[in-house]
Amino acid sequence: MEVKPFEVIVREHGAAVLRVCRAVLGPDDAEDAWSETFLAALRAYPELPAGANVQAWLVTIAKRKAIDVHRAAARRPVLVPELPEPEQRPGPGPGEHDGLWAALRSLPQRQREALAYHHLAGLPFAEVAVLLGGTEAAVRRSAADGMKKLRTMDGEDLR
């Protein structure tokens, strides 16, 4: 099997990895996680076994980078002189690109990840189960429940 140059790997799988990062992290942190994913992948690529599922490998790295982003955000202190009063915004806030991120954010983390890895990255449920640490049936149920919730949202919720 021919080893592809890494630039070809980025070109072929970059969009899918970015969609996964956006779905899991939201639009604000997605590009940083995408960059970190491909930096890590670049270092490890020479050791990747021939015939490996490159997209599944990249999505696994992206999942770990998303966890790193969540952990870093949790450790970052936010200093304010006094607590502000919460704002009442009539419409979607910045970064909620047409309401889609708001709809995805309303899902539990496991449903959001199952949808992202299966529907956006195109991974089979068996591989998603390995990523999320569960059974294939449980992942199918999480994805189905998440999709059902998204479908029942009013069209106004997604704008």
Side-chain angles (χ1 to χ4, degrees):
M1 177 179 215
E2 177 188 343
V3 176
K4 295 180 182 179
F6 193 72
E7 296 82 19
V8 173
I9 298 300
V10 174
R11 219 175 10 257
E12 287 178 358
H13 302 287
V17 171
L18 183 59
R19 286 192 303 269
V20 167
C21 290
R22 283 182 180 153
V24 173
L25 292 170
D28 297 333
D29 295 320
E31 289 185 17
D32 289 340
W34 183 91
S35 298
E36 291 296 323
T37 296
F38 280 100
L39 283 173
L42 177 62
R43 288 185 210 108
Y45 184 63
E47 309 303 318
L48 188 66
N53 183 337
V54 176
Q55 187 158 325
W57 175 69
L58 289 169
V59 169
T60 301
I61 295 171
K63 177 186 180 3
R64 292 180 183 140
K65 294 303 175 184
I67 290 169
D68 291 347
V69 168
H70 283 298
R71 287 180 181 158
R75 290 188 303 261
R76 206 169 316 146
V78 178
L79 302 175
V80 295
E82 60 185 71
L83 291 176
E85 291 296 319
E87 284 185 37
Q88 298 295 331
R89 288 188 278 169
E96 292 182 1
H97 196 62
D98 295 327
L100 181 56
W101 170 238
L104 285 169
R105 188 177 54 218
S106 73
L107 298 176
Q109 179 82 17
R110 185 152 180 103
Q111 289 177 7
R112 186 169 63 235
E113 287 183 350
L115 286 173
Y117 301 143
H118 179 70
H119 291 287
L120 297 177
L123 297 180
F125 284 117
E127 290 184 26
V128 176
V130 171
L131 275 174
L132 296 180
T135 65
E136 184 176 344
V139 169
R140 283 180 186 276
R141 179 81 268 151
S142 292
D145 290 347
M147 190 62 76
K148 181 178 179 182
K149 184 173 180 182
L150 289 176
R151 286 182 176 142
T152 59
M153 289 184 170
D154 184 3
E156 292 297 315
D157 295 337
L158 301 177
R159 290 194 180 119

